Amino acid sequence: MSKVDTSGTWTAISINPPGLEGVNTDNVKWGTPAGGGKSGYVFAGGTVDVLLDGTEFTLGTFTHQNFPITGMPQNEFDVDLSARVLFEDQVPHDFSFRFHHNETPNVGPNPEDIVDLPTRVSPETVTIDNTEYAVVITGFKQGGQIVNKFISQENGANSADLVAVLSRTGQPDVHITTVRFKGEVKRTQSDEFVEVVNRGTAPADVSGWVLGADDAGQNFTFPPGTVLQPGQRIRIHTNEVHPEWGGYSYGSGRPIWNDRGDAARLRDTAGNVVSEYAYGSAAKP
């Protein structure tokens, strides 16, 4: 694969809010303005490179026009997106996704709205070289990092890239994306982490899998019942617990990852290396 063109329209909203406009366009709006304007979503596509090896690409840019509104029948609802991908053969394929919106109260300690993707894999597929693929959204790239949920500040337009992969249908694909090997917490570097994502279209049961660097005291074993959903991204911290990233921690009072170089390896229950991420002196030339 090489370059594709993407575009998108917002096809439906699960409630009937006042002031609804723009359904079946790239900019849907809703609500009675209480100041700056309506709330709404914008999707902007573009021309991007798409590979078949699990490499992430930008499906498009998502913008939430977040202004105080009134008259909403409920605070949480769904908004559906149809993302069109025009491949090199000029044949368009439409992939659908559902965004879950939380129009939080504009008062209190956390007035920011929250946008999530309850299902990240498209039900539609495309066949390439006799293999069936679907689009999986693996997160929102916001503020330089890819996150699971989009946090939208009040009184403005907030944007993030929708990061996705083209994945074979019916298969999980668990992959180490990065190692934060030098934390900001002095001495213990408790905020170090390894990030893992399921880039596949099927859930991945990683119970009993081991993350480590083949050194004593550097193994983390995933507890029973650990399942990564398609597109789900988690982090295993050295000595911190972050529920928004799965809540996984080595529980180590000392640093795990060598600042000069190391290799994180994820092994399944049979000991096979599923994914490896090397950096610094351990990285291959």
Side-chain angles (χ1 to χ4, degrees):
M1 292 297 294
S2 55
K3 292 189 180 300
V4 301
D5 294 318
T6 67
S7 60
T9 58
W10 302 99
T11 58
I13 185 168
S14 63
I15 60 173
N16 186 25
L20 179 63
E21 62 177 282
V23 175
N24 292 320
T25 75
D26 60 3
N27 184 190
V28 62
K29 299 180 181 180
W30 57 79
T32 302
K38 296 181 179 181
S39 188
Y41 287 175
V42 180
F43 181 89
T47 301
V48 294
D49 288 317
V50 176
L51 303 176
L52 302 180
D53 61 357
T55 300
E56 292 176 320
F57 66 93
T58 299
L59 181 64
T61 300
F62 167 76
T63 299
H64 176 213
Q65 298 166 323
N66 188 3
F67 298 99
I69 55 176
T70 62
M72 298 297 289
Q74 62 191 64
N75 289 335
E76 295 194 37
F77 50 89
D78 296 324
V79 186
D80 293 342
L81 172 71
S82 177
R84 173 160 291 188
V85 179
L86 185 65
F87 292 94
E88 282 185 315
D89 58 7
Q90 299 302 301
V91 176
H93 291 268
D94 294 324
F95 302 91
S96 58
F97 301 94
R98 174 159 290 175
F99 289 65
H100 184 74
H101 186 89
N102 187 352
E103 188 82 34
T104 60
N106 294 327
V107 295
N110 298 297
E112 302 87 357
D113 289 354
I114 303 171
V115 183
D116 194 8
L117 287 155
T119 303
R120 295 170 179 264
V121 55
S122 65
E124 302 84 4
T125 63
V126 58
T127 300
I128 302 171
D129 296 333
N130 298 317
T131 302
E132 191 176 30
Y133 294 86
V135 176
V136 180
I137 295 179
T138 57
F140 300 88
K141 190 171 185 180
Q142 184 182 28
Q145 69 168 326
I146 302 174
V147 295
N148 290 315
K149 294 184 178 181
F150 180 85
I151 307 300
S152 180
Q153 302 293 326
E154 291 288 338
N155 292 299
N158 306 295
S159 297
D161 288 338
L162 289 172
V163 179
V165 293
L166 201 60
S167 297
R168 294 186 180 189
T169 58
Q171 298 181 18
D173 182 12
V174 182
H175 180 72
I176 299 173
T177 63
T178 190
V179 176
R180 186 185 188 188
F181 57 88
K182 191 171 184 179
E184 296 181 359
V185 178
K186 292 183 178 179
R187 293 185 296 277
T188 64
Q189 296 190 44
S190 60
D191 54 334
E192 296 174 328
F193 63 78
V194 178
E195 186 176 270
V196 177
V197 65
N198 179 8
R199 306 181 303 187
T201 59
D205 187 344
V206 298
S207 304
W209 289 24
V210 176
L211 171 69
D214 298 331
D215 295 323
Q218 285 187 297
N219 284 343
F220 172 86
T221 302
F222 285 96
T226 303
V227 178
L228 302 187
Q229 297 301 321
Q232 184 179 2
R233 191 177 297 265
I234 62 171
R235 290 177 178 177
I236 302 89
H237 285 79
T238 291
N239 200 22
E240 294 183 358
V241 176
H242 295 266
E244 70 274 21
W245 293 107
Y248 304 103
S249 175
Y250 275 88
S252 173
R254 62 179 181 84
I256 293 290
W257 303 103
N258 192 320
D259 291 351
R260 293 188 299 274
D262 215 334
R265 297 181 181 88
L266 183 63
R267 288 182 166 86
D268 61 18
T269 54
N272 301 311
V273 176
V274 176
S275 181
E276 179 176 338
Y277 186 100
Y279 63 91
S281 61
K284 296 179 180 178

